[in-house]
Amino acid sequence: ATSRLLVNYQEPYRSQILDYLFKPNFGASLHILKVEIGGDAQSTDGTEPSHMHYENDENYFRGYEWWLMKEAKKRNPQIKLIGLPWAFPGWIGKGENWPYDYPDVTAYYIVSWILGAKQYHGLDIDYIGIWNERAFSSKYIKLLRYTMDKHGLEQVRIIASDRLWEPISFVMLIDSELHGVVDVIGAHYPGTKTVKNALLTGKKLWSSEDYSTFNDDTGAGCWARILNQNYVNGNMTSTIAWNLVASYYEELPFGRCALMTAQEPWSGHYKVESPVWITAHTTQFTQPGWSYLQVDGHLGGGGSFVALTDGLGNLTIIIETMTHNHSKCIRPPLPNFSVVPQRATFYLTGSFYMVETLQVWYSRLDFEYGNSILFQKLHPVKVWKGRFSLDLNVDEVYTLTTLKTGRKCRFLEPPPPQPFPSNYKDDFNIRNPPFSEAPNFADQTGVFEYFVNASDPGDHVFTLRQVVVQRPITWVSDADQTISVIGNFKWVNMTVTCDIYIEKPRDGGVFIAGRVDNGGIYVRRAKGVFFWVFADGTYRVTGDLAGQEVLMKGLSGVRDNAWHTLTLNIQGNSASGLLNGYPLWENVTISKPKNGWAALGTRSFEFAQFDNFHVE
């Protein structure tokens, strides 16, 4: 759920961000885009909607991944696409929190997504994964291959198991049928190392999720080091960064652990961070289909190099000399090593002996004064009788290449940063919304979608509706309540007003909230000030999403299937609540949290509607 805020950037800024990421020979020039197959459940920084909320439901226009894949393909038709589920809608497990009891159902669900990508968006998915960082089932993987082949999807390759090298490698060695259907072994955060069994399979080895590090110059150092050393130490020929762009509220888990930052659609501000230019050192001078040359890429004084060719005479060499303390990734822990300034001499033989000059691109990460040089074109290097030498300092990246197509492109500076508007309204009155979700609302459990109320007399035809009515097969511990957060995490005093409509009789309920202090994988422990009303005519004020810490309760007269207006006012260490404009409770003492987002949600996985949201 990391691209959540990207979609509601205004033009031209949205297209500029996408150009920096995907346009060839422009910025990051990415080769591969991996997206979540939304499963209606929390997947780190929010929930992404499924294409099948319910068994008899199919919709290939929810969420933002279809749009993102199309934008990537528009800029680079050659980009490879991967889909991977983190979670699944509850109906797939028929009540169990497990996707493999009915493997034919799960395979049908995933194949529907691949077919929908093609039918509705003209997108060819290249690779499909199994279940992110969770168990795999050999039976399911074989059935998935069979189901794809049956639907004419022979060209879609399977990557497994998006966790560790084992047990998938060992199982493939003893199960020849499984070995036959898995095309790529993908491991997460491998620390540039692989294992013997993985090599013995003879399969392509990928670091199918890596990086995940704050996108300052140390993050850039991490990224430069692993982009090379995943191959040099671990024989991995693809490295995929989580995540593409930090377009989620920064106070959610792993804030700014992305290649660039675009978390302010309300201002248009974004920042092309140094990892973008480190990426370019590799991506602008190689392509999928190029081959790594099998040389020992360890440099004598520390650091590494890789060499790649297109097999048609082109050669690209990428060198990195990142020091230990300037290239630590978020995980795994990095053993000590030393890097010193050195002179490196390269010998080109065979078909490369005839190369006379190499173009040079250079970066130096400056941790002393902050004057980093990023992706600068230097004078070409002359190759004399197949040899050339370079004086390498520490924390540098060089690309030497026969290609002359590299470019460092720039747009004019985007607008300056601004906090989230302190007075924000949304009446959800939009007839043909470009996206299924209202701007800036970041769903953390459940899914909130634009809804058209055909039967309403007029005031509430267009609303926001929570639509997940069965607990999904979760990836982490989603809350037992649904919740979507919005606004500025630093907010202290606020008034939140919203029209609400409980659809579930008897035990249904909804809330509005302020000072909400947690989301993402920690959503279950969210604290704040929560104002609840229930279908049985009662209300509650609690200090937590779970509803354990009751600050006030009583009768409200609210009923289901009727519209009511809730207002929550938080000032200093006191809160009060209004129902339909009249005071319902007041002077409730609030000790903590001191600040946080505004939010709305439901008591359980139940239908409910919201309208005329306003926070000040």
Side-chain angles (χ1 to χ4, degrees):
T2 48
S3 311
R4 179 68 198 92
L5 299 172
L6 178 62
V7 298
N8 46 295
Y9 266 80
Q10 297 300 301
E11 295 297 350
Y13 310 114
R14 190 175 72 174
S15 288
Q16 291 174 2
I17 295 161
L18 293 161
D19 283 352
Y20 278 120
L21 293 168
F22 297 118
K23 197 173 175 182
N25 297 310
F26 191 94
S29 304
L30 295 167
H31 292 171
I32 193 158
L33 171 63
K34 178 175 185 173
V35 303
E36 175 180 348
I37 298 175
D40 292 341
Q42 177 60 243
S43 56
T44 297
D45 287 299
T47 67
E48 294 202 30
S50 169
H51 59 290
M52 299 175 81
H53 291 317
Y54 331 110
E55 207 163 344
N56 57 355
D57 161 66
E58 278 184 81
N59 181 324
Y60 297 93
F61 295 92
R62 293 185 182 128
Y64 36 85
E65 303 293 13
W66 310 110
W67 168 83
L68 187 62
M69 288 189 282
K70 283 191 288 192
E71 293 295 325
K73 277 281 188 191
K74 200 154 83 182
R75 288 162 174 81
N76 176 7
Q78 261 43 70
I79 197 165
K80 301 286 182 192
L81 299 176
I82 312 186
L84 174 68
W86 266 244
F88 302 85
W91 60 269
I92 280 183
K94 305 196 182 181
E96 294 296 317
N97 199 34
W98 190 247
Y100 302 133
D101 287 341
Y102 306 92
D104 50 328
V105 175
T106 308
Y108 159 77
Y109 167 82
I110 294 296
V111 168
S112 298
W113 185 86
I114 303 171
L115 292 170
K118 181 67 170 175
Q119 184 179 340
Y120 296 97
H121 303 285
L123 293 166
D124 290 303
I125 304 300
D126 297 287
Y127 298 91
I128 202 79
I130 306 306
W131 188 15
N132 183 66
E133 290 171 1
R134 297 294 176 263
F136 68 89
S137 148
S138 299
K139 181 182 172 185
Y140 165 71
I141 295 174
K142 295 167 193 173
L143 192 61
L144 177 63
R145 176 77 273 161
Y146 171 78
T147 312
M148 289 198 297
D149 291 351
K150 205 171 72 177
H151 288 87
L153 298 170
E154 293 86 358
Q155 78 287 357
V156 181
R157 302 277 160 226
I158 289 178
I159 176 165
S161 68
D162 281 293
R163 196 175 189 177
L164 302 171
W165 294 117
E166 298 291 16
I168 185 71
S169 301
F170 173 73
V171 176
M172 283 171 66
L173 289 175
I174 59 169
D175 180 340
S176 60
E177 193 190 343
L178 184 67
H179 187 277
V181 299
V182 173
D183 299 280
V184 177
I185 302 180
H188 286 196
Y189 306 95
T192 78
K193 304 285 200 288
T194 187
V195 299
K196 189 172 169 219
N197 279 346
L199 292 165
L200 285 174
T201 64
K203 296 289 181 177
K204 288 176 181 160
L205 308 183
W206 288 9
S207 176
S208 54
E209 185 180 315
D210 218 327
Y211 175 65
S212 190
T213 301
F214 191 79
N215 59 17
D216 57 9
D217 279 0
T218 303
C222 150
W223 187 227
R225 181 175 55 77
I226 65 177
L227 273 177
N228 264 20
Q229 295 192 21
N230 276 347
Y231 177 75
V232 172
N233 300 331
N235 229 43
M236 289 167 259
T237 56
S238 175
T239 297
I240 301 176
W242 188 88
N243 58 69
L244 174 73
V245 54
S247 294
Y248 49 102
Y249 292 115
E250 193 173 330
E251 297 82 5
L252 285 166
F254 307 105
R256 275 185 57 188
C257 290
L259 298 179
M260 66 179 282
T261 305
Q263 56 193 17
E264 284 191 22
W266 47 87
S267 72
H269 180 73
Y270 64 85
K271 189 155 180 253
V272 184
E273 311 282 3
S274 44
V276 163
W277 300 115
I278 295 301
T279 310
H281 272 282
T282 294
T283 51
Q284 288 204 19
F285 308 105
T286 60
Q287 282 304 318
W290 282 47
S291 301
Y292 281 91
L293 298 176
Q294 296 185 12
V295 291
D296 179 356
H298 297 97
L299 291 166
S304 69
F305 73 94
V306 292
L308 298 99
T309 182
D310 60 356
L312 305 170
N314 282 307
L315 173 68
T316 292
I317 301 167
I318 304 134
I319 304 165
E320 62 79 25
T321 58
M322 295 301 137
T323 54
H324 180 273
N325 289 359
H326 294 158
S327 68
K328 280 183 181 163
C329 304
I330 199 166
R331 66 181 82 85
L334 184 61
N336 261 319
F337 60 87
S338 76
V339 181
V340 294
Q342 59 193 305
R343 166 161 261 209
T345 303
F346 290 82
Y347 298 87
L348 306 188
T349 59
S351 57
F352 300 123
Y353 184 77
M354 306 309 290
V355 172
E356 290 175 3
T357 55
L358 291 167
Q359 308 301 312
V360 183
W361 291 81
Y362 172 73
S363 292
R364 180 177 65 92
L365 300 176
D366 177 4
F367 292 88
E368 203 167 354
Y369 303 109
N371 298 327
S372 292
I373 296 165
L374 294 168
F375 200 58
Q376 188 178 57
K377 195 172 195 311
L378 303 184
H379 289 295
V381 159
K382 290 272 174 275
V383 184
W384 193 72
K385 287 191 174 170
R387 62 178 277 187
F388 65 92
S389 297
L390 283 177
D391 289 310
L392 305 174
N393 213 324
V394 297
D395 297 328
E396 293 183 332
V397 183
Y398 280 90
T399 301
L400 301 112
T401 180
T402 54
L403 298 180
K404 295 180 175 167
T405 45
R407 292 210 318 278
K408 182 174 184 179
C409 297
R410 278 205 195 82
F411 291 110
L412 295 172
E413 279 293 298
Q418 300 277 345
F420 191 95
S422 57
N423 190 343
Y424 183 84
K425 289 184 166 121
D426 194 339
D427 61 12
F428 312 115
N429 289 0
I430 177 163
R431 197 166 284 279
N432 291 304
F435 294 98
S436 58
E437 302 161 296
N440 303 315
F441 279 94
D443 305 349
Q444 301 302 314
T445 295
V447 170
F448 295 75
E449 293 178 352
Y450 283 121
F451 182 65
V452 180
N453 236 335
S455 60
D456 189 89
D459 287 350
H460 301 285
V461 176
F462 298 101
T463 66
L464 188 71
R465 190 186 199 207
Q466 199 296 116
V467 296
V468 180
V469 294
Q470 180 183 4
R471 188 174 180 84
I473 297 175
T474 56
W475 182 68
V476 286
S477 300
D478 293 43
D480 298 318
Q481 305 73 23
T482 72
I483 178 172
S484 190
V485 302
I486 190 169
N488 184 343
F489 189 78
K490 297 181 180 72
W491 280 343
V492 177
N493 298 329
M494 65 184 90
T495 302
V496 184
T497 301
C498 194
D499 300 341
I500 62 92
Y501 187 91
I502 300 169
E503 295 190 43
K504 190 183 185 197
R506 292 181 298 285
D507 56 352
V510 303
F511 70 82
I512 61 171
R515 290 192 193 170
V516 176
D517 73 345
N518 247 317
I521 50 178
Y522 309 119
V523 65
R524 270 187 91 80
R525 58 172 96 145
K527 304 266 188 281
V529 184
F530 294 80
F531 174 15
W532 308 78
V533 290
F534 303 111
D536 66 2
T538 63
Y539 78 89
R540 276 189 179 197
V541 185
T542 68
D544 60 340
L545 174 62
Q548 305 292 308
E549 190 191 325
V550 180
L551 306 174
M552 179 80 112
K553 62 182 184 177
L555 295 172
S556 68
V558 165
R559 54 195 173 84
D560 59 89
N561 291 288
W563 283 98
H564 302 275
T565 304
L566 303 186
T567 304
L568 170 64
N569 190 6
I570 311 172
Q571 299 291 328
N573 52 12
S574 175
S576 59
L578 289 81
L579 173 63
N580 300 329
Y582 294 97
L584 181 63
W585 51 275
E586 51 199 358
N587 299 330
V588 168
T589 303
I590 309 301
S591 51
K592 56 180 194 287
K594 295 280 181 251
N595 57 278
W597 295 293
L600 46 74
T602 64
R603 178 189 211 167
S604 67
F605 289 99
E606 62 186 274
F607 286 123
Q609 291 176 58
F610 303 86
D611 203 357
N612 300 314
F613 176 84
H614 181 197
V615 58
E616 200 169 349

